[in-house]
Amino acid sequence: MSAELSAAPEPMNTGAPAVSSPPGTLALQWATVRVLMMRDIVRFFRQPSRVVGALAQPVLFWFVIGSGFAGSFRVEGAQGLGYQQFFFPGVVTMVLLFSAIFATITVIEDRKEGFLQAVLAGPGSRLAVVLGKALGSSAIALLQASLFLLLAPLAGVSAATLNVPLLLSVMVLSALALTGMGMSLAWWVRSSAGYHAVMSIVMLPMWVLSGAVFPLKGADTWLAWVMRLNPMRYSVEGVRRALHGAEASVALGASSSSAGLEVPVLVAFAAVFIGLAAFSVSRRE
């Protein structure tokens, strides 16, 4: 009898499923980022016209514009650099810019369909929503730019001057900065047509005045100062320095003291606009 009393009773099996602990806050934030990022990437590959145009447009732009100015492009101290070589880093930045514009226009479409409102009603923070969209758009932009970079040997890029770590850093930071800028503007615009109008008077002039189309050297004084204050200039100069070396940037008018500032400036550029995009996203929509 004493042995039976001392024996521990067996737990009863009620048939109820085991209750798992809810995911943590960090897991919920990462889930929001991952879902939004993969959604944009999958949607890009499901549109064949975007995939083809992603490579065809910059290639045509580079060959047509580069061939048109090849005979008249002369910069003192950079005689060995033709216009197609000079223009190539600018087109790389243009690919990132155009991809950011077309990718962030989905913000307007998602708001009209109610998708973003549903996401904002979930447990994910505003920063997680912005990071998910920004990382997805940046991944698409980097893919397009990487495809275009396969033509780098035609632009006179050699292994001796190629700086891969600098190139990757500048491209990633530029994609994040431009995507953040596009998102912060897209959230306040109600239509796709209005968004394109805003882009044409904000982002495209920034690209033209970044040293992508014409060099800093030889520009008027006021225009040179505008170009120096343009944060997108550091994207173009960073890509140019990574592809052609620092000597090419200095020969085109860049200061030798500005070499190495591309990454810090682009970090600040990306942080400001990712933060502004997170501030612009409103849960009251």
Side-chain angles (χ1 to χ4, degrees):
M1 176 69 70
S2 60
E4 294 178 356
L5 292 175
S6 61
E10 296 182 359
M12 296 180 62
N13 184 8
T14 61
V19 178
S20 59
S21 59
T25 303
L26 184 60
L28 290 173
Q29 303 302 325
W30 168 242
T32 302
V33 172
R34 179 174 54 82
V35 168
L36 290 175
M37 178 178 64
M38 294 306 300
R39 180 175 182 267
D40 281 349
I41 294 174
V42 170
R43 181 161 55 179
F44 171 75
F45 283 105
R46 286 181 177 176
Q47 298 174 342
S49 59
R50 284 185 66 187
V51 178
V52 175
L55 185 59
Q57 184 184 25
V59 169
L60 290 175
F61 200 79
W62 178 52
F63 274 115
V64 172
I65 302 297
S67 299
F69 285 95
S72 58
F73 180 75
R74 297 288 185 276
V75 176
E76 185 179 355
Q79 286 79 5
L81 192 69
Y83 191 79
Q84 286 188 328
Q85 289 76 23
F86 162 79
F87 193 40
F88 190 82
V91 179
V92 174
T93 308
M94 184 195 73
V95 174
L96 297 174
L97 171 63
F98 282 6
S99 179
I101 291 176
F102 288 116
T104 54
I105 202 172
T106 58
V107 172
I108 299 174
E109 299 172 356
D110 289 342
R111 288 174 64 199
K112 287 183 178 180
E113 296 170 358
F115 174 77
L116 276 183
Q117 286 80 350
V119 173
L120 289 172
S125 65
R126 292 183 295 177
L127 182 59
V129 173
V130 170
L131 285 177
K133 295 289 291 183
L135 290 175
S137 301
S138 297
I140 296 170
L142 292 171
L143 173 62
Q144 297 180 28
S146 299
L147 291 174
F148 181 73
L149 280 171
L150 295 176
L151 300 175
L154 299 179
V157 178
S158 64
T161 58
L162 183 61
N163 187 337
V164 176
L166 176 61
L167 180 63
L168 291 176
S169 301
V170 170
M171 287 175 59
V172 170
L173 292 171
S174 299
L176 288 172
L178 294 171
T179 302
M181 180 185 290
M183 285 190 65
S184 60
L185 293 173
W187 194 261
W188 298 103
V189 180
R190 299 294 177 179
S191 67
S192 300
Y195 180 74
H196 280 292
V198 171
M199 292 298 99
S200 65
I201 62 175
V202 176
M203 297 182 79
L204 288 180
M206 287 182 65
W207 175 73
V208 172
L209 297 176
S210 65
V213 180
F214 53 87
L216 178 67
K217 194 172 187 178
D220 291 340
T221 304
W222 68 272
L223 190 59
W225 275 107
V226 172
M227 294 174 68
R228 288 190 180 96
L229 296 175
N230 183 3
M232 198 176 294
R233 170 177 171 266
Y234 292 90
S235 299
V236 176
E237 290 301 328
V239 174
R240 182 171 288 129
R241 190 161 68 89
L243 295 179
H244 297 300
E247 294 79 7
S249 295
V250 173
L252 293 169
S255 172
S256 58
S257 61
S258 65
L261 292 178
E262 295 90 354
V263 172
V265 171
L266 290 174
V267 167
F269 187 26
V272 167
F273 280 102
I274 292 294
L276 183 60
F279 177 77
S280 300
V281 174
S282 172
R283 291 182 180 270
R284 297 189 298 270
E285 285 289 329

